[in-house]
Amino acid sequence: MAAAGPQIPLSFLLRQLWLSLLIFGLAGEACERVVLNVPSKLDADKIIGRVNLNKCLRSADLIQSSDPDFRVLDDGSVYTARATVLSEERSFIIRLSDIKTGIQKEIPVLLGQQQKVLKKRHTKETVLRRTKRRWVPLPCSMQENSLGPFPLLLQQVQSDAAQNYTIYYSISGRGVDQEPLNLFYIERDTGNLYCTRPVDREEYDVFELVAYAYTADGYSADFPLPLPIKVEDENDNHPVFTKPIYNFKVPESSRIGTEVGVVCATDRDEPDTMHTQLKYSILEQTPKSPGIFSVDPKTGVITTKSHSMDREVVDKYTLIMKVQDMDGQFFGLIGTSTCIITIEDSNDNAPTFRQNAYEASVEENVYNVEILRIPVDDKDLINTANWRANFTILKGNENGYFQITADKTTNDGVLYVVKPLNYEEDHQVVLEIGVSNEEPFTRDFAARVPTMNRALVTVHIRDQDEGPECSPLTQYVRIKENSAVGSKTNGYKAYDPETRNSNGLRYKILHDPRGWVTIDENSGSIITSKALDREVMDPQNYLSNITVLATDQVGRSCTGTLIVSIEDVNDNAPTIPQDYIIICKSKMEYADILAADPDDAVNGAPFYFSLESASPDISRIWTLNRVNDTAARLSYQKNAEFQEYLIPITVKDRAGMSATKTLKVNLCDCTHSSQCFAAPRSGQIELGKWAILAILLGIALLFSVLLTLVCGIVGTRKGKHFPEDIAQQNLIISNTEAPGDDRVCSVNGVMMQTANNSSQGFCGTMGSGVRNGGQETIEMLKGQQTLESYRGAGHHHTLDSCRGGHVEMDSCRYTYSEWHNFTQPRLGEESIRGHTG
């Protein structure tokens, strides 16, 4: 089964082909011919078909038609330029040119008339020829909104089975038995396919029909044949903007090319055809000033193209935007929209003073008052940062008497006096005022004009009759320490601003927390009322704040503060607080000496240390070297002996006052100072551990001797007898826990000093007394008087008579034989008595 189109005479085709070959042979390389079937009557600006230009020359940039009744668009669409009636077939040439390469090609186009009626074929007719069986239909299309006449023949459907059988045809699908119903029908006997009415492509762009061939008895003679029918688009839809009104904003200072906004339109016609190829343009601008804006014809982007936007002249523009299909060709359909562009304000106008100079007046001593309003003009948008003014006092306000602010409502500059003015100092003040905006100026504007407008303001100061003035409010005076009571010095001074002197003023102290001074009523001088010693005061008491009242003759007054400070006098020499220093020679090579001075720093450090009063022996052994401003280092020679040294050290302050102190230094053989501690005022003799050990060993040896003597007495029957009282006076047991005033001598008779530094002589003992916190001490006394009485001297003294008396050193010495002859008999007798008892 196959579909067949209208039949064209063979002679006509051969003639057209010959003409085409002749034309292309003369003009350029020919491409494949295109045949378009059209009605005999063609209206103006109607599409009659489409030619595939890319198939012939893809790079063509110039398209021309040889027939002025037809024009060809870039996409290959062929349109009628005017109404045309075709009495027979007609042909023309489409010339394609590539200007860059010089290539030219031509496409021959043949316009054939559509056949309205096809001959009905009967089964008994002889088949003249056999056609090749085709399983797919020829491409079939129909024009959108076709004018007919209806029913309109589209094509003929045939089946090869019709050569041998009587075949009947039918169709189904959308447009036949589906909506839209009865749009197509097929003649049962001939297979001619007809359309009954116009079709809107935007509603139905293609119809998928199915054709059937069957015999008279209802058997299928062939497979069902798909019949797609495409509806060729007609440019019957106007492009439409997405919005009826567009609103955009752009700053007035925008540069050329600044994007304002984008407009967009749509077209319901077939996409990717000339019918939907849109072109944008500005149809009209209001106000009708020179062109300010432009639009990209392809994208619809609106941009600025002029510097002449001025919001202060025109603050809003209205554009009538046009969009046209067919790429903007005159026969394309048009749509319009309104675009409103608001010009936003930029700071391109400086605020200006209405005058170059202003004057104002104010009384002296008045402050926090408004004295002048200065209006300014600014063409920028009101109540915006571009309009609001910033005022600045550029000159004349170095002392801070004035302040200027902006009135937010009127934008005026308001000038205030914020500190009291003095007529006696200045009769007038000239201020230079500058004004600018809160928002910085635009770059282009700032480069063309000054960014700040200026004006002069002369402020006249009016005089007032005023009282005394305490100026400066706080005054200072220094009094030297140790000044005599009643000393007078400068005090507080006030003055009359009219006469600029202090005549006729009276002074009085309102408050004096220290009570150091009194004030002279007429002159304001101060008089010391007590002796002042800076060194006995706390540092926070070196100053005194005195409140002074100054009064004129009519009772007007002012108050001020007089700060009195005590000035230091160099009345104190530097001192060394150390008295006694222990240096362990094995561990220490020096000792640091510190000094202090209660005077002020100006009379204090740095100190200068010296040994200028020392003896040659001390100077040979000891040296002083500076450590810092308040310390020196005392060093000794390596051959210095272990002993106490009295070293006089002189210290001098920076003002020259000096003092000498004798420092006792104990150079000791120790590893820690506690091992050789000695203090001259201790009142006792401290013994080292080796001395204590020697004494204990001596005591042990004494007991051994006594034990030997006792044993000897027991074995002895004969001997000399000493009186009992004499024996009792030679052995004394003492349990004294604390040292007394007893005077002792060493065994070898060498005189030793007593604990209380007494110079009197005393009787000796066999061993030194050991003060050991209650440890029992045994003293063996050898009294001169006791032995003499035994020897018949006629004197009988006890131990008490020996204490406190003056005894010659030689009288304490006896030979060993005498001592032995004296003690042995007595010890023997006592032993015998003990045994007999």
Side-chain angles (χ1 to χ4, degrees):
M1 183 168 57
Q7 300 297 320
I8 301 174
L10 182 59
S11 60
F12 174 78
L13 295 176
L14 293 174
R15 182 173 61 86
Q16 294 296 331
L17 178 60
W18 180 82
L19 291 174
S20 298
L21 292 174
L22 180 62
I23 294 172
F24 276 99
L26 296 175
E29 184 180 352
C31 295
E32 182 181 354
R33 186 181 64 167
V34 176
V35 178
L36 301 176
N37 294 324
V38 299
S40 59
K41 184 179 179 180
L42 300 175
D43 295 330
D45 297 329
K46 292 294 184 180
I47 188 171
I48 61 174
R50 183 173 296 158
V51 179
N52 189 350
L53 303 180
N54 292 333
K55 187 176 181 182
C56 182
L57 182 59
R58 184 177 297 274
S59 61
D61 48 17
L62 179 61
I63 304 171
Q64 295 175 317
S65 173
S66 63
D67 191 334
D69 290 339
F70 303 96
R71 62 176 180 271
V72 183
L73 303 185
D74 292 342
D75 64 346
S77 300
V78 181
Y79 280 81
T80 56
R82 60 179 65 90
T84 305
V85 177
L86 300 179
S87 58
E88 59 181 7
E89 288 84 354
R90 187 171 175 177
S91 62
F92 63 93
I93 301 298
I94 299 176
R95 295 187 179 92
L96 305 177
S97 300
D98 187 337
I99 298 175
K100 294 181 180 179
T101 61
I103 299 175
Q104 293 185 352
K105 291 189 178 183
E106 296 180 344
I107 302 175
V109 179
L110 176 63
L111 301 179
Q113 295 183 359
Q114 294 178 344
Q115 301 295 324
K116 296 184 179 179
V117 180
L118 297 178
K119 182 180 177 180
K120 184 176 180 180
R121 186 176 70 234
H122 299 281
T123 58
K124 300 299 182 179
E125 294 179 352
T126 302
V127 178
L128 298 178
R129 62 184 177 86
R130 179 180 179 86
T131 60
K132 184 178 179 181
R133 186 170 184 176
R134 289 166 293 182
W135 298 103
V136 294
L138 292 173
C140 181
S141 64
M142 62 177 294
Q143 188 68 35
E144 177 188 16
N145 301 325
S146 175
L147 299 178
F150 295 100
L152 178 65
L153 176 63
L154 298 180
Q155 67 177 1
Q156 185 182 28
V157 178
Q158 293 181 338
S159 173
D160 290 344
Q163 298 177 11
N164 301 315
Y165 304 97
T166 299
I167 299 299
Y168 300 102
Y169 301 94
S170 66
I171 58 174
S172 66
R174 190 175 65 173
V176 180
D177 53 1
Q178 300 175 23
E179 289 294 336
L181 297 174
N182 303 320
L183 179 60
F184 301 100
Y185 73 92
I186 192 170
E187 287 184 343
R188 178 171 175 270
D189 297 326
T190 64
N192 291 330
L193 180 62
Y194 292 92
C195 178
T196 61
R197 59 183 182 270
V199 179
D200 186 1
R201 191 208 65 83
E202 285 69 46
E203 189 174 1
Y204 305 103
D205 58 346
V206 68
F207 293 94
E208 301 289 346
L209 303 182
V210 179
Y212 304 93
Y214 55 93
T215 61
D217 54 3
Y219 289 99
S220 296
D222 209 336
F223 291 106
L225 177 67
L227 288 176
I229 300 174
K230 181 181 179 183
V231 180
E232 295 289 344
D233 185 48
E234 183 184 23
N235 192 19
D236 59 342
N237 289 280
H238 290 262
V240 179
F241 282 97
T242 56
K243 294 181 181 179
I245 299 177
Y246 291 89
N247 288 282
F248 301 122
K249 295 180 180 180
V250 62
E252 63 177 323
S253 60
S254 298
R255 297 184 175 184
I256 294 177
T258 300
E259 181 177 326
V260 178
V262 181
V263 294
C264 184
T266 59
D267 195 320
R268 295 182 61 204
D269 288 324
E270 185 176 0
D272 301 322
T273 66
M274 292 295 292
H275 299 163
T276 55
Q277 188 168 344
L278 307 181
K279 187 174 184 179
Y280 299 93
S281 61
I282 298 174
L283 193 62
E284 182 182 348
Q285 173 184 300
T286 305
K288 298 183 181 299
S289 56
I292 303 296
F293 306 98
S294 63
V295 63
D296 188 291
K298 298 294 184 182
T299 62
V301 176
I302 301 174
T303 56
T304 59
K305 67 173 185 177
S306 173
H307 283 299
S308 59
M309 285 189 300
D310 190 349
R311 188 207 64 84
E312 288 72 39
V313 178
V314 178
D315 62 352
K316 186 178 294 184
Y317 290 89
T318 301
L319 305 180
I320 303 300
M321 304 301 299
K322 182 182 80 170
V323 62
Q324 189 171 16
D325 60 17
M326 305 301 294
D327 199 24
Q329 300 201 43
F330 69 92
F331 53 84
L333 301 180
I334 296 173
T336 60
S337 179
T338 301
C339 181
I340 299 174
I341 300 176
T342 301
I343 308 302
E344 292 183 326
D345 185 47
S346 298
N347 193 13
D348 57 350
N349 291 278
T352 57
F353 292 106
R354 296 178 183 176
Q355 301 174 204
N356 293 328
Y358 297 87
E359 291 190 2
S361 64
V362 63
E363 287 189 349
E364 65 174 333
N365 301 321
V366 176
Y367 61 99
N368 290 337
V369 294
E370 176 187 328
I371 63 172
L372 181 64
R373 278 184 171 263
I374 309 173
V376 294
D377 296 320
D378 195 320
K379 296 179 181 179
D380 289 318
L381 188 61
I382 295 177
N383 293 325
T384 64
N386 299 330
W387 173 81
R388 287 191 289 268
N390 270 341
F391 294 90
T392 306
I393 302 177
L394 302 175
K395 294 180 182 179
N397 193 35
E398 289 75 13
N399 294 322
Y401 291 115
F402 301 93
Q403 179 182 336
I404 189 168
T405 60
D407 189 316
K408 299 301 182 183
T409 303
T410 64
N411 216 29
D412 293 342
V414 184
L415 183 63
Y416 295 91
V417 175
V418 294
K419 288 173 60 177
L421 293 163
N422 193 332
Y423 174 82
E424 287 71 29
E425 294 181 357
D426 293 301
H427 293 357
Q428 70 177 24
V429 179
V430 178
L431 305 176
E432 183 178 7
I433 309 295
V435 63
S436 60
N437 289 124
E438 290 182 0
E439 185 72 17
F441 295 111
T442 61
R443 183 182 304 175
D444 294 339
F445 179 78
R448 296 195 311 267
V449 297
T451 58
M452 182 172 289
N453 195 256
R454 301 166 186 254
L456 295 179
V457 177
T458 302
V459 180
H460 301 281
I461 304 171
R462 299 192 299 270
D463 187 28
Q464 280 186 346
D465 187 12
E466 51 194 340
E469 184 171 336
C470 293
S471 179
L473 190 63
T474 301
Q475 300 179 23
Y476 299 84
V477 66
R478 297 173 66 88
I479 302 176
K480 290 186 177 182
E481 66 171 328
N482 304 326
S483 296
V485 176
S487 300
K488 180 181 289 189
T489 186
N490 293 332
Y492 197 87
K493 284 293 182 182
Y495 64 92
D496 188 334
E498 307 294 336
T499 61
R500 307 302 296 175
N501 59 51
S502 302
N503 296 336
L505 299 182
R506 298 290 183 267
Y507 300 91
K508 178 182 179 181
I509 293 179
L510 296 180
H511 178 65
D512 181 5
R514 310 282 184 211
W516 290 346
V517 298
T518 59
I519 195 167
D520 187 285
E521 181 182 7
N522 296 318
S523 65
S525 300
I526 58 173
I527 305 167
T528 57
S529 58
K530 60 174 63 176
L532 304 175
D533 188 351
R534 185 177 177 278
E535 284 71 40
V536 300
M537 300 179 182
D538 293 332
Q540 61 267 25
N541 295 333
Y542 292 166
L543 299 177
S544 178
N545 293 342
I546 301 173
T547 304
V548 178
L549 174 70
T551 309
D552 63 10
Q553 295 177 354
V554 296
R556 291 172 298 194
S557 63
C558 68
T559 58
T561 300
L562 180 64
I563 298 179
V564 178
S565 62
I566 305 301
E567 182 179 356
D568 183 53
V569 174
N570 192 17
D571 56 348
N572 292 278
T575 59
I576 299 175
Q578 300 150 293
D579 293 321
Y580 188 78
I581 295 176
I582 297 175
I583 299 177
C584 292
K585 190 173 182 180
S586 61
K587 295 290 185 179
M588 301 166 59
E589 296 180 356
Y590 58 83
D592 287 341
I593 310 301
L594 303 178
D597 193 328
D599 287 327
D600 197 12
V602 70
N603 295 318
F607 300 135
Y608 304 94
F609 297 82
S610 65
L611 297 175
E612 61 184 26
S613 300
S615 64
D617 292 339
I618 295 297
S619 299
R620 178 176 52 82
I621 298 174
W622 298 92
T623 58
L624 269 178
N625 295 299
R626 183 178 181 274
V627 176
N628 53 39
D629 288 351
T630 60
R633 181 158 294 166
L634 182 64
S635 304
Y636 58 89
Q637 299 296 328
K638 296 298 182 181
N639 58 355
E641 298 180 356
F642 296 112
Q643 68 178 56
E644 285 188 350
Y645 296 88
L646 298 178
I647 303 175
I649 299 176
T650 302
V651 187
K652 184 187 298 183
D653 61 24
R654 68 163 63 188
M657 180 169 284
S658 63
T660 300
K661 180 172 183 177
T662 300
L663 191 64
K664 182 174 290 187
V665 179
N666 185 356
L667 187 60
C668 181
D669 183 14
C670 59
T671 58
H672 192 272
S673 59
S674 60
Q675 298 172 352
C676 55
F677 177 78
R681 299 187 183 90
S682 61
Q684 61 184 5
I685 298 174
E686 296 291 341
L687 299 178
K689 60 182 180 180
W690 297 108
I692 295 175
L693 181 60
I695 292 174
L696 292 176
L697 292 175
I699 293 175
L701 180 62
L702 178 61
F703 274 109
S704 300
V705 172
L706 291 177
L707 182 60
T708 302
L709 293 176
V710 170
C711 293
I713 291 173
V714 171
T716 304
R717 300 266 182 191
K718 297 178 180 181
K720 297 180 180 181
H721 297 277
F722 278 47
E724 291 184 3
D725 58 340
I726 295 177
Q728 291 175 357
Q729 292 176 9
N730 282 283
L731 289 177
I732 298 175
I733 298 176
S734 174
N735 290 322
T736 304
E737 294 182 356
D741 293 332
D742 296 348
R743 296 159 178 82
V744 296
C745 292
S746 61
V747 175
N748 57 8
V750 178
M751 179 68 69
M752 294 185 63
Q753 191 176 8
T754 62
N756 57 3
N757 294 328
S758 173
S759 60
Q760 295 178 349
F762 54 91
C763 297
T765 66
M766 291 297 293
S768 300
V770 180
R771 296 173 179 87
N772 205 7
Q775 194 172 22
E776 188 175 273
T777 303
I778 300 175
E779 296 180 351
M780 296 190 67
L781 304 177
K782 182 181 181 181
Q784 177 188 10
Q785 287 80 0
T786 303
L787 291 177
E788 290 296 330
S789 62
Y790 176 73
R791 295 167 66 180
H795 298 284
H796 189 274
H797 297 280
T798 65
L799 181 61
D800 291 336
S801 63
C802 182
R803 292 172 181 168
H806 294 279
V807 181
E808 297 294 333
M809 292 299 297
D810 293 339
S811 65
C812 290
R813 298 190 184 101
Y814 295 92
T815 63
Y816 177 77
S817 60
E818 291 178 328
W819 176 257
H820 185 271
N821 292 334
F822 174 77
T823 56
Q824 286 299 325
R826 298 297 301 168
L827 290 175
E829 292 177 2
E830 292 295 331
S831 178
I832 293 172
R833 289 176 184 176
H835 282 287
T836 57

